[in-house]
Amino acid sequence: MIKVGDKLPAGTLMEYSEVEGEGCSIGPNPVDVHKASAGKTIAIFALPGAFTPTCSAKHVPGFVQQAAEFKAAGVDEIWCISVNDAFVMGAWARDQKTAGTVRMLGDGSADYTKATGLTLDLTARGMGLRSNRYSMLVKDGVVKSLNIEAPGKFEVSDAGTLLAQAKAL
């Protein structure tokens, strides 16, 4: 399992862009994690699934609402990672109004989530292998803080906790 002081694992996530710009075509675009995090401070949070109750009502909205405060604390980007395809993440981004605040990144086959060691098996609930709920602060690809939730909890991976850690860096 990934821990503080580790480099982010290599991998590719997928992002759906609704508008063309800066070389991005419309549709799913690959995001190389190492290239995208190089030289930046990134607030990453991951969750079990798009459109799920806690994720939609609490987790994503907290990061959207506090995006300006993260920027003021020196965070260059906020990423949301979920084991969903890029099209679902794009639809969820529209629903959650994340444009300009949170990059919604799909890990459709859970390959990246497996590489972090932060998987959550929800097969018994009909959801298959998913991501555990967590947040982390990453500086130039290195994990500086990591907050992993206990199953079914939402206590330490919220925007407020990670923002306090970003301010302390």
Side-chain angles (χ1 to χ4, degrees):
M1 181 187 310
I2 197 168
K3 61 187 180 315
V4 171
D6 288 351
K7 275 196 78 70
L8 288 175
T12 302
L13 298 167
M14 297 300 288
E15 183 174 34
Y16 184 83
S17 299
E18 290 193 316
V19 293
E20 285 191 77
E22 297 184 29
C24 291
S25 62
I26 294 177
N29 294 289
V31 176
D32 180 296
V33 171
H34 280 175
K35 288 179 185 174
S37 64
K40 295 178 184 171
T41 300
I42 313 285
I44 298 175
F45 66 104
L47 33 79
F51 294 104
T52 56
T54 301
C55 304
S56 291
K58 297 178 183 176
H59 216 167
V60 174
F63 282 91
V64 170
Q65 291 163 3
Q66 296 186 53
E69 292 177 64
F70 274 99
K71 291 277 185 200
V75 172
D76 298 298
E77 294 180 1
I78 302 170
W79 296 0
C80 174
I81 300 173
S82 183
V83 179
N84 291 106
D85 65 61
F87 295 103
V88 169
M89 293 301 282
W92 197 31
R94 255 189 326 277
D95 178 73
Q96 294 287 305
K97 298 173 178 51
T98 65
T101 58
V102 178
R103 293 182 75 178
M104 304 296 274
L105 303 171
D107 181 22
S109 297
D111 291 337
Y112 193 76
T113 299
K114 290 174 194 171
T116 66
L118 293 168
T119 58
L120 177 64
D121 188 351
L122 293 176
T123 303
R125 292 186 174 172
M127 294 174 67
L129 189 65
R130 296 296 180 131
S131 175
N132 200 345
R133 186 182 304 280
Y134 67 87
S135 66
M136 67 171 76
L137 197 61
V138 176
K139 189 169 182 118
D140 196 23
V142 177
V143 179
K144 297 297 183 181
S145 66
L146 178 61
N147 311 296
I148 304 169
E149 295 288 358
K153 298 292 184 183
F154 181 65
E155 300 169 342
V156 299
S157 66
D158 61 294
T161 298
L162 197 62
L163 180 59
Q165 293 167 345
K167 289 178 178 180
L169 257 189

